[in-house]
Amino acid sequence: MGCPIAHAHAYAQHQSEFVFPRYNLLWISWHDSAWIPILNPTNVMDYFQSTTNPFYDRTCNNEIVKMQRLNMEHLSNLTGLEYMLLHVQEPILYVIRKQHRHSVSAVTPLADFYIIAGVVYQAPDLGSVINSRISTTVNHLQGAFDEARTYSRYHPSKGYWWEFKETESKDLEDENKKSQKKSSKDKAKEESSSAFQRHRVNILLADLAKKFPIKNTPFPASNTHLPEQRTSVEDNSKVEVKVEVKTEPQGHKPPPEKKPRLG
């Protein structure tokens, strides 16, 4: 007879494969609504070890320790597959690691699972991320080559050439549609209010004008003495101009008259 623990291991593995068929776990998520309001670091592992969780392998050492009602600290004494709580950021984020233990101090990480707001996801590994990016790039390149091939033309006398008439007409149509949309948006911006709104505003303004009429304030009386004052100021501002007449002294004789010379 074989070992009963090995039989239990094989039976649990068979049951897990029957309940959760093999498919890509990166495309799915899992949650239990009854647990989400009460999740905390002490019970998050019990939440992850639920039988309906497709990310949990029931053949792990956590299940053996749980069945034997031992403390989870005994996991370090066993070898094989196990789950551990790696990171906690209350109250929304928990990270659980799936690893294979070889000894007390030697483990090999296999996968990481993160719980955000009670929903469990599997973190993608580096190979899956690179594969996804390459597949997306190749898909877009293939689409670009297929579209470029539709514009190529060939004739025995002319050879190969490109024909983009359809695309030019499509571009013009797109530009016309964009211009029409912009014009309609500009019109909508200019008409910031409707006729009904303007009519209602006028009624409200008329009611306010009746309740609070404008008071007529008297203007100050005009001062009639201002022109006289201005003339007096102008008269005072005039500058007296003194005229000085210079007289020559009598002591000096006039210059002698010039007489013509006789030849």
Side-chain angles (χ1 to χ4, degrees):
M1 293 179 64
C3 179
I5 297 178
H7 283 293
H9 238 356
Y11 177 75
Q13 186 175 2
H14 175 71
Q15 288 296 108
S16 63
E17 290 180 358
F18 178 75
V19 176
F20 304 113
R22 296 183 180 276
Y23 48 80
N24 194 349
L25 297 177
L26 297 174
W27 299 347
I28 65 171
S29 63
W30 174 85
H31 71 279
D32 190 348
S33 302
W35 280 80
I36 292 176
I38 59 172
L39 270 182
N40 56 63
T42 59
N43 62 7
V44 67
M45 288 301 296
D46 296 331
Y47 173 66
F48 187 81
Q49 293 172 6
S50 175
T51 56
T52 59
N53 184 8
F55 301 106
Y56 180 64
D57 190 352
R58 298 183 64 185
T59 62
C60 63
N61 293 335
N62 299 68
E63 196 70 17
I64 296 173
V65 173
K66 184 178 178 181
M67 290 173 62
Q68 294 180 359
R69 297 181 180 180
L70 299 175
N71 193 353
M72 287 298 168
E73 295 178 356
H74 289 81
L75 284 174
S76 59
N77 299 325
L78 301 176
T79 58
L81 187 64
E82 66 179 23
Y83 294 88
M84 62 168 291
L85 183 61
L86 182 65
H87 178 72
V88 175
Q89 185 177 342
E90 292 188 82
I92 194 171
L93 177 62
Y94 303 93
V95 179
I96 296 174
R97 171 163 290 180
K98 179 182 180 181
Q99 60 188 10
H100 189 277
R101 180 171 294 278
H102 305 282
S103 64
V104 177
S105 59
V107 293
T108 301
L110 299 178
D112 288 337
F113 305 91
Y114 54 95
I115 304 173
I116 298 180
V119 183
V120 184
Y121 306 91
Q122 180 175 347
D125 56 295
L126 183 61
S128 300
V129 173
I130 294 175
N131 189 18
S132 175
R133 296 293 186 270
I134 292 176
S135 299
T136 304
T137 305
V138 170
N139 187 20
H140 289 307
L141 286 175
Q142 185 65 36
F145 284 127
D146 293 340
E147 186 176 359
R149 190 167 57 249
T150 58
Y151 301 128
S152 64
R153 299 290 183 269
Y154 174 75
H155 192 270
S157 60
K158 295 181 180 180
Y160 291 96
W161 76 93
W162 299 98
E163 187 175 0
F164 298 102
K165 292 182 180 179
E166 295 180 358
T167 56
E168 290 177 358
S169 61
K170 288 181 181 179
D171 292 339
L172 292 174
E173 291 178 359
D174 293 338
E175 289 179 359
N176 293 330
K177 289 180 181 179
K178 288 181 181 178
S179 61
Q180 291 176 0
K181 288 181 180 179
K182 287 182 179 178
S183 61
S184 61
K185 288 181 180 178
D186 294 337
K187 288 181 181 178
K189 288 181 180 179
E190 291 176 357
E191 297 177 356
S192 58
S193 61
S194 62
F196 174 76
Q197 291 173 344
R198 289 192 291 272
H199 181 65
R200 295 296 298 173
V201 170
N202 293 332
I203 293 173
L204 293 174
L205 292 175
D207 293 338
L208 290 174
K210 290 179 182 178
K211 291 180 181 179
F212 306 100
I214 300 173
K215 295 180 180 180
N216 294 324
T217 57
F219 292 98
S222 60
N223 193 356
T224 58
H225 300 289
L226 291 175
E228 295 178 358
Q229 292 177 359
R230 287 179 182 174
T231 55
S232 63
V233 171
E234 290 177 356
D235 294 337
N236 293 329
S237 63
K238 289 182 179 179
V239 180
E240 294 181 358
V241 179
K242 294 181 180 181
V243 178
E244 295 181 357
V245 178
K246 293 182 180 181
T247 58
E248 294 180 355
Q250 296 178 359
H252 295 282
K253 294 181 179 181
E257 296 179 356
K258 292 182 179 182
K259 294 180 180 182
R261 293 181 180 181
L262 298 175

